[in-house]
Amino acid sequence: MLRPSRLYRIVKILPQLPASCNSNVAVSNFRYSEFVRKYSSSPPASFTQVPEVFDRIKQVSNPSIVKKVNAVYVFDVEGEGKWHVDLTSGSGEIGQGDPTNKPDVTVALKKDIFLKMFNRELKPATAFMSGQLKLSGDLSKALALESVMKASRDDF
């Protein structure tokens, strides 16, 4: 049973739902459990190409993440080349090739491993321990990379 205050909040957000939502749901027979199941249990979109991942990192990069991470990463993705994520100033700089600043961490891995990590199919620690991911540089900065990965996957 929904409390009246919770039902009020649900009814209040109905007009704010995206156009893709089923708009012919009548408020009188609206079921909160169906709403949650329909819109929160769908599988998250997954990355299929390396540039998509870096585009997403660009979108979520902000001064808060830059201040928290404060590092330069180079990803050497086999078959895709080098990509850099410079999170040392402003909102960060993300792009293909070598960074302008000296990298703190270099990550070398295959494309499929890279995509699995950013799609939450493989934990970075597992990839490292099994030799699928090679790190060089400051390992404490490498651990801060998890916050960047989490931000790139949230709300996707």
Side-chain angles (χ1 to χ4, degrees), residues 2 7-8 10-12 14-15 23-32:
L2 289 173
L7 184 58
Y8 171 75
I10 293 168
V11 171
K12 189 175 176 182
L14 278 175
S23 60
N24 60 6
V25 174
V27 174
S28 61
N29 67 0
F30 181 78
R31 292 197 178 130
Y32 180 73

Side-chain angles (χ1 to χ4, degrees), residues 100-130:
T100 53
N101 297 328
K102 182 180 178 229
D104 295 302
V105 179
T106 302
V107 182
L109 66 170
K110 293 181 180 177
K111 176 183 175 180
D112 62 323
I113 301 303
F114 178 82
L115 293 173
K116 283 180 182 179
M117 284 185 353
F118 278 90
N119 287 328
R120 299 181 187 182
E121 297 169 9
L122 178 65
K123 292 182 180 179
T126 303
F128 177 71
M129 298 302 275
S130 63

